Amino acid sequence: MPAQFFLNVFIAILWTLISDENELQFTTFVAGYIVGIGIVFLMHRLFGEKFYLARPWALFKLILIFLRETFSSSIWVLKHILSPKVNYKPGIFKYETQMRGEWEITAISLLLTLTPGSVVMEVTPEEDYLYIHGMDLEESKEMLIKSLHTFEKAIMEVTR
């Protein structure tokens, strides 16, 4: 991946030197860098590696997914809180996770805990099961499992 980055910077420098006549401009360098991204993307298979901007793009998607899940679960929790009847049944369920390693387990636990209406209570010592408390399991268990699958897929894109 460093070779792809350095090739991209080299393309941007060449672009700047060829395009500018009297003085060097940062905007020309940025334009060359963007052109270099396109060229390196088309050539990244020759390096035998993933495209070097794939991981930052996956991290950006993970942040957007987290914001979407936080917003939708906040709306759901607000509906339950503002309803005139207290009609929810909290509970705990066991979820088998595909996450491996301390970073991935911590990330999935924090992302789920930060979304309203759910808390990761415990991780088994083998790190393959999560115990999750949900605000209303009858209604929200499927939504929680869907969120967990979405988070797991996005985290694996970032880490693997």
Side-chain angles (χ1 to χ4, degrees):
M1 283 205 240
Q4 293 178 19
F5 173 74
F6 288 126
L7 178 62
N8 197 357
V9 170
F10 181 70
I11 291 170
I13 291 171
L14 283 178
W15 183 273
T16 304
L17 293 175
I18 292 171
S19 297
D20 289 336
E21 293 180 13
N22 296 332
E23 58 186 46
L24 301 176
Q25 296 180 356
F26 182 71
T27 55
T28 308
F29 179 81
V30 171
Y33 193 81
I34 292 171
V35 169
I37 287 173
I39 293 170
V40 172
F41 178 73
L42 294 174
M43 294 177 45
H44 79 277
R45 291 189 186 107
L46 298 175
F47 292 99
E49 299 174 342
K50 285 175 41 175
F51 182 54
Y52 81 104
L53 290 177
R55 190 166 281 170
W57 177 251
L59 181 62
F60 178 71
K61 287 191 323 188
L62 176 63
I63 291 168
L64 290 180
I65 289 169
F66 171 68
L67 292 174
R68 183 190 72 210
E69 292 293 328
T70 302
F71 181 74
S72 65
S73 61
S74 297
I75 298 297
W76 183 83
V77 168
L78 275 173
K79 285 180 185 177
H80 274 67
I81 290 172
L82 296 176
S83 68
K85 296 180 183 178
V86 177
N87 194 20
Y88 53 89
K89 296 183 174 53
I92 299 170
F93 69 97
K94 186 177 183 179
Y95 176 76
E96 183 176 4
T97 182
Q98 299 174 0
M99 301 285 100
R100 298 294 173 248
E102 292 179 3
W103 193 91
E104 289 181 351
I105 295 290
T106 303
I108 190 82
S109 299
L110 288 174
L111 288 173
L112 191 64
T113 299
L114 287 173
T115 55
S118 60
V119 175
V120 175
M121 296 177 53
E122 186 176 352
V123 178
T124 60
E126 297 83 23
E127 297 181 344
D128 54 351
Y129 288 99
L130 302 173
Y131 289 97
I132 300 169
H133 179 273
M135 186 174 146
D136 186 6
L137 281 189
E138 288 181 3
E139 223 179 282
S140 70
K141 186 173 181 179
E142 292 82 24
M143 185 176 73
L144 278 172
I145 290 174
K146 182 183 169 218
S147 294
L148 282 164
H149 286 305
T150 306
F151 284 145
E152 282 183 342
K153 182 181 174 192
I155 289 170
M156 284 190 280
E157 285 182 14
V158 173
T159 59
R160 297 181 187 174

